Amino acid sequence: MTSALPILHVDDVTVRFGGVTAVDGVTLRVERGSRWAVIGPNGAGKTTLFKAISGEVRPTIGRVHLFGADTSRAHPNRKAQRGLGRTYQVSELFQALTVEENMAIAAQARTPSRFHSWRPLRIRGWIDERITSALDQLQISDERFTVVSEMSHGQQRSLEIAIALATKPEVLLLDEPAAGLSAAERRIMKDLVESLPRDLTIVLIEHDMEIALELVDRVLVLDNGKMIAEGNPDEIRSNQHVQDVYLKS
Amino acid sequence: MIRRISLKTRVLLVLAAIGLGIGIAAPYLFPKYIVGLISLALIGGLFAQSVDLLAGYVGLVTLGQAGISGAAAYGVGYMASKVGAGFPAQIAVGLLTGILASLLFGLMAMRSNDVYFIMITLAQGMIVWGLSIRLYKVTGAENGLTGIPRPEPVNPYWKYYYLVLVVVVLCWMLLGIIVKSPFGASLKGLRESETRMRMLGYNTTAQKLYVFMLAGFFATIAGILLVYLNGFISPSSVVLAASALGVLEAILGGVGTLVGPMIGAFIIVAIQNIVSIYVDRWPTLMGLIFVVVVLFARRGLVGAISDVWNRRQQEVSLEPQSAQ
Ligand SMILES: Nc1ncnc2c1ncn2[C@@H]1O[C@H](COP(=O)(O)OP(=O)(O)O)[C@@H](O)[C@H]1O
Ligand SMILES: [Mg+2]
C-alpha cells in the first residue's frame, strides 16, 4: 500500500516563548479526510500547536507542511487561502456586525471579490448559498439578521464554526468548540461537529476527553508541551499514563 | 421577507432632497460670504469623510490627513505660482503629489494599529509641516504660496461653488459605493478583529494600504478644491490642528457614517465663522462641544438622532391596537 502524502504534517515542532517551551517536539501526520483530537490538560500547549499550524506563531524548531508544501514560515492568510480554516477557543467574531455580515466577509475571503470596491455587496447566488448552508449546518439560520453581540454564548460558539465553514476549507482546526457550554449544549455541539462533511479533514482540541474520543479516529495527547500518547480512542482510553495526567488535572 | 421602502428610508430621502435643493439654490438664497462658507464646509466635509473612512470604518484614527491634502495643495500652488503652468498641469501635479504622499504614508503606516497608527500618522503630518516651513523655494515657507487663481471657467465665486458641490457630491456617492462594497464589508471586519480577518485569508496589510490610499485620494481632492477656493496655501493648512479638525468633525457628526462628517463640518464652520464674531474663544467652545459629544452622544449627532428615532418607533409599536 502506498501511503499518500499527509494533508497536514507537523514535523518535530517546538515553540518557545522566551523561557517557556509551550510545544516541545510534537509530530503529527494527518491524512486527508481523517478526524483527529488533540487533548490534554490546560496549558498543555494545544492552542499553541494550532497557532504554529496556522502561522500565527512561527515554530522555533521544526516544520509545518500543509497540502504537501512546507509552510513553516507562511503567514496565516496565505495558509487560509490554500484551504486551512480555524476557530478560536475564545470567540473571535465581528461583534458589532450581523451574522449575515460575518458570514459574507468569510464567504468572499478566498475569492477575488474580496477586493471589489466599486460595486455593492449583494448577498445572492453562490454567496447566499454558502451562507445559508453553513448556517443551516450549525442550526443558527434564525439568527441570520441578529447582531452578534446580542446572541447567546452557545450561538456564538456555533457561529464561530459557521464562519470557518463559509471559507470552504479543506482542513479545519477547531479549538475547543464546546468551551463555556453547559453539559446539554456540549452534547448538541458534539452532534454538530459530528455532522460536518466527511471529506473535511478535522483537527479538534477538546478538554473534555469523553466528547473528544467519541468524535475522532485518532488522538494526540499533550502534557507540558510534550506528546505523551498517540493512538485510536480505545487505546487512549486504556492508556494508564493518560488517565494519570487527566486525574491529576 | 417583503422588501418595502421603510419609513426611515423615506425620511432620509426627503432630507437628502431638501439638502440637495438648498445646495443647488444656495447662490440665489445667500450672500457671497455665506456661499463661500458653504463651499468651505463642503470641502471640509469631504476631508472629514476621508478621515472617517479610516477612523470610523476601519478603526484607524489618523492625525496626519492634512499632510496629504496639504501635499496636493502645495503641488497645485507650486505649479501655479512658481512654475506658472496651466491648470491641467497644476491639477495633475496636485493629484500626483497627494497620491504619492498617500502611497508613501500608507506604506509606513500599514503594519500598525491603534495608538501606533495615531503616532505614525501624527509624525507624517509633522513631516509635511516641517517641509512646508523648510523648503522655502518650493513652499514659500511661512508666507506660503499666494495668488493662486481659479481656473477661468469657474472663477466667479458662485460658479466655483457649483464645481465644489458637484465634485463633493460625486465623491460622496463614490464613498457610498465603497463602504457598501465587498471591500467595504471587509473594512468593518478589520475594525472588529484583525486576527480573524487574517485567519479567514485576508491580507490585512494590503487591505490597510488600499484603504489608506483611497482615503488619501479623497483628501487629495479636498486639498485641491480648498487651494483654489482660498487662492493660497500656507503651513497653517497642514498643522496638526487641521488634521485633528477632520477627526473632530467626524466624531461630532457621527463616526462610521458618511453623512456624519459632513454635518460635523457644517457645524464647525458655522461655529468658527458665525459664533466667533461674538465669542472670541471659539477653540475653547469647540473643545467643550467635543467633550459634551464624547460624554453624552458617543456616536455623534447622527447616532443620537437615530437612537431617539428608534426609541420613538418602539413606543409607537407598543401602543395598544385599539388606539387606531
Ligand atoms: N504568547 C505567549 N507568551 C508566553 N507564553 C505563552 C503564550 N501563549 C501561551 N503561552 C504559554 O504556553 C503554554 C501553553 O499554552 P496553550 O497553548 O494556550 O495551552 P492549552 O491551549 O493547551 O491550554 C502555557 O504555559 C501558556 O502560559
Ligand atoms: Mg487552549
Side-chain angles (χ1 to χ4, degrees):
Chain A
M1 198 184 107
T2 60
S3 97
L5 222 54
I7 195 165
L8 165 65
H9 182 194
V10 176
D11 184 9
D12 201 9
V13 162
T14 295
V15 180
R16 289 198 192 101
F17 297 111
V20 182
T21 304
V23 174
D24 197 351
V26 171
T27 292
L28 179 65
R29 291 175 65 98
V30 177
E31 308 294 332
R32 184 179 288 274
S34 61
R35 292 188 171 185
W36 276 77
V38 178
I39 65 172
N42 271 328
K46 305 180 296 291
T47 297
T48 306
L49 176 64
F50 268 20
K51 286 184 176 172
I53 296 171
S54 70
E56 287 160 278
V57 303
R58 288 214 177 133
T60 314
I61 308 171
R63 323 241 112 229
V64 175
H65 297 265
L66 258 173
F67 310 111
D70 184 351
T71 57
S72 309
R73 324 221 108 226
H75 292 293
N77 53 301
R78 297 304 295 271
K79 301 201 192 197
Q81 287 298 339
R82 302 185 74 147
L84 177 70
R86 143 139 162 73
T87 70
Y88 290 86
Q89 181 174 356
V90 178
S91 295
E92 192 70 53
L93 303 166
F94 309 129
Q95 290 284 339
L97 309 184
T98 65
V99 168
E100 187 182 70
E101 287 172 308
N102 273 262
M103 296 295 289
I105 292 169
Q108 68 181 7
R110 290 176 68 203
T111 71
S113 74
R114 71 187 181 282
F115 273 117
H116 290 182
S117 51
W118 58 90
R119 58 167 186 84
L121 169 65
R122 294 204 196 289
I123 305 205
R124 60 185 185 203
W126 63 268
I127 288 199
D128 182 52
E129 275 162 32
R130 255 195 216 189
I131 294 177
T132 308
S133 90
L135 291 180
D136 282 349
Q137 189 103 55
L138 274 302
Q139 298 174 8
I140 44 173
S141 300
D142 291 347
E143 305 302 322
R144 185 159 178 154
F145 301 103
T146 309
V147 174
V148 172
S149 59
E150 288 167 7
M151 295 204 300
S152 71
H153 176 72
Q155 289 169 330
Q156 293 198 19
R157 294 310 292 164
S158 296
L159 180 60
E160 192 55 44
I161 300 177
I163 283 184
L165 281 187
T167 66
K168 291 260 170 226
E170 287 179 63
V171 175
L172 181 58
L173 311 178
L174 297 172
D175 194 346
E176 299 205 27
L181 297 183
S182 68
E185 288 172 322
R186 296 174 80 85
R187 301 311 300 179
I188 297 172
M189 181 55 81
K190 184 203 144 246
D191 292 341
L192 290 177
V193 172
E194 194 144 44
S195 73
L196 292 177
R198 270 321 307 196
D199 57 348
L200 180 62
T201 308
I202 294 176
V203 184
L204 164 83
I205 292 178
E206 185 47 64
H207 185 68
D208 183 330
M209 188 157 98
E210 263 326 297
I211 285 199
L213 297 190
E214 285 175 42
L215 280 171
V216 299
D217 329 309
R218 298 291 295 179
V219 185
L220 173 73
V221 189
L222 292 184
D223 185 30
N224 268 324
K226 291 195 175 65
M227 307 162 59
I228 59 166
E230 190 200 311
N232 64 37
D234 287 335
E235 290 163 356
I236 297 301
R237 272 193 200 94
S238 57
N239 184 311
Q240 195 50 49
H241 190 178
V242 174
Q243 293 300 333
D244 291 346
V245 164
Y246 262 83
L247 284 179
K248 80 170 157 57
S249 75
Chain B
M1 222 183 348
I2 309 158
R3 279 199 164 250
R4 292 192 318 141
I5 299 177
S6 68
L7 182 60
K8 194 169 181 171
T9 311
R10 269 180 282 167
V11 169
L12 289 178
L13 280 174
V14 169
L15 286 178
I18 292 173
L20 200 62
I22 295 177
I24 291 168
Y28 300 94
L29 298 175
F30 306 117
K32 178 177 177 180
Y33 170 66
I34 300 290
V35 174
L37 287 186
I38 299 178
S39 307
L40 191 65
L42 285 168
I43 297 169
L46 175 59
F47 178 76
Q49 285 173 335
S50 86
V51 169
D52 193 39
L53 182 61
L54 288 170
Y57 287 89
V58 198
L60 295 170
V61 177
T62 168
L63 282 179
Q65 201 73 339
I68 293 171
S69 57
Y74 271 112
V76 169
Y78 177 74
M79 293 306 279
S81 67
K82 300 274 173 175
V83 179
F87 291 112
Q90 292 173 19
I91 292 167
V93 169
L95 283 172
L96 202 74
T97 47
I99 290 169
L100 222 66
S102 311
L103 174 62
L104 227 72
F105 291 170
L107 287 170
M108 286 164 69
M110 66 185 182
R111 288 182 198 285
S112 59
N113 281 319
D114 308 322
V115 174
Y116 300 98
F117 186 86
I118 298 180
M119 299 308 284
I120 288 174
T121 52
L122 176 74
Q124 292 169 344
M126 299 299 240
I127 290 171
V128 174
W129 176 79
L131 289 175
S132 76
I133 298 276
R134 288 287 168 81
L135 297 178
Y136 176 76
K137 289 217 170 91
V138 180
T139 64
E142 268 92 352
N143 298 328
L145 301 169
T146 53
I148 302 164
R150 284 177 206 146
E152 198 45 51
V154 290
N155 189 19
Y157 81 92
W158 60 275
K159 283 192 180 168
Y160 193 67
Y161 165 78
Y162 280 123
L163 177 76
V164 168
L165 183 66
V166 168
V167 172
V168 168
V169 169
L170 275 177
C171 286
W172 192 341
M173 286 161 66
L174 269 177
L175 278 162
I177 292 171
I178 290 169
V179 300
K180 288 211 164 14
S181 70
F183 179 68
S186 78
L187 293 181
K188 293 180 197 160
L190 191 52
R191 179 188 66 201
E192 298 290 314
S193 167
E194 182 164 3
T195 308
R196 171 64 91 171
M197 287 302 277
R198 284 176 145 270
M199 201 60 245
L200 287 173
Y202 286 88
N203 181 340
T204 55
T205 309
Q207 255 184 309
K208 281 192 231 171
L209 179 62
Y210 187 22
V211 68
F212 194 98
M213 289 196 65
L214 282 172
F217 171 75
F218 291 104
T220 294
I221 302 286
I224 294 175
L225 287 175
L226 188 65
V227 70
Y228 285 122
L229 179 74
N230 290 336
F232 71 91
I233 170 80
S234 71
S236 70
S237 301
V238 296
V239 290
L240 169 61
S243 295
L245 197 62
V247 179
L248 173 63
E249 288 167 348
I251 292 175
L252 181 58
V255 288
T257 69
L258 291 176
V259 69
M262 190 58 76
I263 293 174
F266 271 82
I267 294 172
I268 295 294
V269 167
I271 292 172
Q272 282 182 339
N273 290 276
I274 301 165
V275 182
S276 68
I277 297 169
Y278 311 102
V279 185
D280 52 13
R281 294 233 161 88
W282 68 261
T284 317
L285 183 63
M286 288 212 310
L288 277 175
I289 291 172
F290 181 65
V291 169
V292 168
V293 166
V294 169
L295 283 182
F296 299 107
R298 298 219 63 156
R299 286 162 57 228
L301 233 58
V302 172
I305 291 171
S306 98
D307 284 349
V308 170
W309 169 277
N310 289 339
R311 213 169 303 139
R312 289 267 339 208
Q313 289 301 102
Q314 270 174 8
E315 280 166 17
V316 169
S317 66
L318 285 177
E319 271 167 22
Q321 292 297 307
S322 59
Q324 41 179 276

